């Protein structure tokens, strides 16, 4: 009699979720919305101030309230996605972004608009970290490289296109909405995005989710507020005592945040921002580089918008379209980025810094030689060259920062990167914008613009030097 044995089939590994082409388009659409909204308001502020009888300090809050809420809550948004599911947070954040955009567009008073902008920033912080985390968790190999390249191209293009779109919408005055259209335009885009996301964005989450780090969340929020609030509001408010006390508190709060996070990391818990994450050389060095790049990018966008409208006398449309060559060249060159990186490695970033510096130098010459007759034709060579240089840096640096982050920490890694970028964007407007506006009264608009562009050139030189220390290849 033969004895038969039955064996259980070996368990099959569950295939990771895949992000298809439609899903990638959907998350990139969501990635564009918060960045467009950060810059779209620049050219609409004069109209908002006139329509709502808002002071300069309140108008600063329309910009700063959004940026502060966005920057402060980004890492928390990434952690919540790891914990509850990134698709769920993505859908919720996108729906909230649409509702808060509607509230901004219908705001009856300036302070109502400020409150709606703060809520809009919080919604962005819930939505955007899920984009990078989903790309990290649902793509691999060449597909991930392509997706990250497209993310970087989308981010850079959105920052320039936001300002152009803002000028066109304000001037178009669609159905008499005026400045309100810069917010209301988000609503149909969000509705389409929600329909696409429900069909095409896969659900991903951390395999071992950790609870929210309460003390770390509070200390990070206080640290960023202590730094960004006085820098963004100080000039308009006349630098009262609270701004200096807040800046003095920043290093103390930052040190307390680091101590709390390091202790949680050593005890085996997962803090909001794990210090062990910074042991990844690619992430650490990439974050250091993204700061001066983003400071210079946002500072330039703000300063050139003010200079072209107040100094050169251009309307919002012509002021926005003067940057169109930068946007077009940025997009075209960024598409070639993955092939260039595959051939030359991260030295592409160094070359990009050199090219961007050349473009800004050409713009300095244009300002000195053509002021105040400055517009699309005069700025075209410099803007196009600078856009090419930026395209060789931003998408590649994004890939470098996240290249070694494990999928389980994709939300945290993406949140940390976007927080560094967003905080730096706010710093750029605060520092270079304040420098420019403070120099106008003594030097005049032309020389103030030239001086600010030369300061940006120094920042570009710094990014070039920092890029030499990047890993030669991207994992």
């Amino acid at each position: 009699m033969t004895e038969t044995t039955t064996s259980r089939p070996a368990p099959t590994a569950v295939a990771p979720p895949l992000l298809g082409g439609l899903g990638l388009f959907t998350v990139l659409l969501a990635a564009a919305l918060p960045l467009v909204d950060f810059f779209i308001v620049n050219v609409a502020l004069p109209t908002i101030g006139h329509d709502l009888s808002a002071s300069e300090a309140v108008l600063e809050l329309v910009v700063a309230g959004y940026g502060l809420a966005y920057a402060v809550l980004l890492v928390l948004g990434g952690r919540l996605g790891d914990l509850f599911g990134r698709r769920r947070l993505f859908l919720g954040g996108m729906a909230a972004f649409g509702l808060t955009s509607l509230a901004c567009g219908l705001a009856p008073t300036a302070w109502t608009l400020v409150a709606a902008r703060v809520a809009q920033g919080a919604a962005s912080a819930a939505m955007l970290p899920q984009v990078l985390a989903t790309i990290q968790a649902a793509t691999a190999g060449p597909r991930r490289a392509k997706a990250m390249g497209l993310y970087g191209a989308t981010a850079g293009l959105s920052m320039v296109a936001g300002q152009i779109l803002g000028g066109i919408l304000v001037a178009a005055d669609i159905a008499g909405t005026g400045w309100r259209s810069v917010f209301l335009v988000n609503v149909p885009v969000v509705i389409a995005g929600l329909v696409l996301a429900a069909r095409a964005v896969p659900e991903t989450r951390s395999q071992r989710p950790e609870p929210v780090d309460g003390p770390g969340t509070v200390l990070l929020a206080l640290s960023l507020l202590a730094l960004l609030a006085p820098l963004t509001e100080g000039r308009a408010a006349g630098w009262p005592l609270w701004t200096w006390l807040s800046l003095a508190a920043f290093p103390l709060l930052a040190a307390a945040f680091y101590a709390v996070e390091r202790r949680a990391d050593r005890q085996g818990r997962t803090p909001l921002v794990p210090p062990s994450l910074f042991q990844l050389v690619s992430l650490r060095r990439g974050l250091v580089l993204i700061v001066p790049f983003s400071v210079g990018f946002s500072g330039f966008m703000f300063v050139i918008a003010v200079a072209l409208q107040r100094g050169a006398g251009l309307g919002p449309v012509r002021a926005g379209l003067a940057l169109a060559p930068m946007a077009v060249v940025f997009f075209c060159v960024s598409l070639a980025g993955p092939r260039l990186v595959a051939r030359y490695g991260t030295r592409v970033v160094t070359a990009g810094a050199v090219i961007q510096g050349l473009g800004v130098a050409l713009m300095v010459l244009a300002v000195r030689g053509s002021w105040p007759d400055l517009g699309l034709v005069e700025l075209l060579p410099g803007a196009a060259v600078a856009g090419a240089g930026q395209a060789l840096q931003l998408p590649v640096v994004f890939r470098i920062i996240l290249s070694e982050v494990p999928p389980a920490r994709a939300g945290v890694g993406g949140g940390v990167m976007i927080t560094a970028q967003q905080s730096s964007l706010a710093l750029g407007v605060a520092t270079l914008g304040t420098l420019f506006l403070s120099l106008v009264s003594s030097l005049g608009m032309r020389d103030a613009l030239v001086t600010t562009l030369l300061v940006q050139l120094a920042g570009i030189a710094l990014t070039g030097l920092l890029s030499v220390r990047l890993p030669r290849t991207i994992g």
Side-chain angles (χ1 to χ4, degrees):
M1 184 176 178
T2 60
E3 185 178 347
T4 61
T5 60
T6 60
S7 59
R8 295 179 180 177
T12 57
V14 179
L18 295 177
L19 184 66
L22 184 60
L24 179 60
F25 170 81
T26 305
V27 296
L28 291 179
L29 176 67
L33 287 173
L35 288 170
V36 166
D37 256 57
F38 185 86
F39 289 93
I40 201 171
V41 180
N42 281 349
V43 293
L45 286 176
T47 311
I48 293 173
H50 179 267
D51 190 26
L52 299 182
S53 301
S55 65
E56 184 180 358
V58 176
L59 289 177
E60 291 269 2
L61 281 174
V62 171
V63 178
Y66 175 84
L68 287 173
Y70 187 20
V72 164
L73 298 174
L74 273 167
V75 179
L76 177 62
R79 169 60 66 83
L80 292 175
D82 290 347
L83 184 62
F84 296 111
R86 293 156 189 151
R87 181 175 180 271
R88 183 180 301 178
L89 261 290
F90 179 82
L91 290 169
M94 179 175 275
F97 185 85
L99 291 173
T100 52
S101 296
L102 181 63
C104 289
L106 300 178
T109 67
W111 285 107
T112 306
L113 177 59
V114 169
R117 284 285 282 173
V118 171
Q120 190 186 35
S124 299
M127 175 177 63
L128 190 57
Q130 319 316 325
V131 173
L132 284 169
T134 299
I135 290 174
Q136 286 290 102
T139 61
R143 285 180 59 84
R144 180 182 295 175
K146 181 181 179 181
M148 286 303 301
L150 288 172
Y151 175 87
T154 301
L157 185 63
S158 300
M159 290 188 274
V160 182
Q163 211 142 300
I164 299 172
L165 180 62
I168 293 173
L169 288 173
V170 171
D173 193 20
I174 301 170
T177 55
W179 60 267
R180 298 179 186 277
S181 61
V182 304
F183 301 112
L184 296 176
V185 71
N186 293 330
V187 177
V189 177
V190 165
I191 293 173
L194 287 172
V195 173
L196 293 175
R199 295 182 56 190
V201 176
E203 179 65 282
T204 64
R205 69 178 68 202
S206 175
Q207 295 299 315
R208 294 183 297 276
E210 295 282 344
V212 172
D213 173 16
T217 301
V218 172
L219 284 170
L220 177 62
L222 291 175
S223 299
L224 291 174
L225 283 171
L227 175 65
L228 297 177
L231 289 177
T232 51
E233 282 296 296
R235 185 191 62 83
W239 297 105
L241 179 61
W242 73 264
T243 60
W244 300 108
L245 294 176
S246 182
L247 288 171
F250 167 69
L252 302 177
L253 290 167
F257 170 70
Y258 177 75
V260 167
E261 299 298 272
R262 183 176 61 176
R263 182 175 62 184
D265 214 9
R266 288 178 174 177
Q267 291 175 350
R269 294 182 283 116
T270 302
L272 184 70
V273 181
S276 58
L277 202 63
F278 293 92
Q279 294 176 4
L280 301 174
V281 175
S282 55
L283 181 137
R284 185 175 67 249
R285 294 182 179 177
L287 287 177
V288 170
L289 190 148
I290 205 73
V291 171
F293 179 89
S294 298
V295 166
F297 198 122
S298 65
F300 167 80
M301 296 297 292
F302 175 80
V303 167
I304 202 71
V306 173
L308 291 178
Q309 291 185 82
R310 295 185 189 175
L314 302 184
V317 175
R318 291 180 63 198
L321 290 178
L323 298 177
M326 179 180 289
V328 172
V329 174
F330 185 103
F331 182 74
C332 294
V333 174
S334 63
L335 295 180
R339 293 192 296 273
L340 293 173
V341 171
R343 182 170 181 179
Y344 300 108
T346 59
R347 291 300 171 259
V348 169
V349 179
T350 308
V354 173
I355 295 170
Q356 184 190 3
L358 176 60
V360 173
L362 289 173
M363 282 190 276
V364 169
L365 294 176
V367 173
R368 289 184 62 86
S370 302
W371 187 267
D373 299 319
L374 201 64
L376 173 63
V377 174
E378 291 78 15
L379 290 176
L380 191 151
V385 173
Q390 290 163 345
L392 294 176
Q393 295 175 82
L394 188 64
V396 181
V397 173
F398 280 165
R399 282 182 57 193
I400 292 169
I401 292 173
L402 297 178
S403 60
E404 296 179 308
V405 176
R409 286 185 166 179
V412 176
V416 168
M417 185 185 80
I418 305 169
T419 298
Q421 182 201 21
Q422 182 63 33
S423 302
S424 301
L425 291 175
L427 278 174
V429 174
T431 54
L432 291 180
T434 298
L435 172 67
F436 170 72
L437 293 173
S438 64
L439 291 175
V440 168
S441 58
S442 58
L443 299 180
M445 189 73 73
R446 187 197 75 165
D447 290 344
L449 178 57
V450 168
T451 302
T452 308
L453 290 175
L454 291 175
V455 172
Q456 188 193 358
L457 264 178
I460 294 170
L462 177 60
T463 62
L465 292 173
L466 291 172
S467 68
V468 177
R469 301 187 69 246
L470 292 172
R472 291 298 299 269
T473 58
I474 302 177

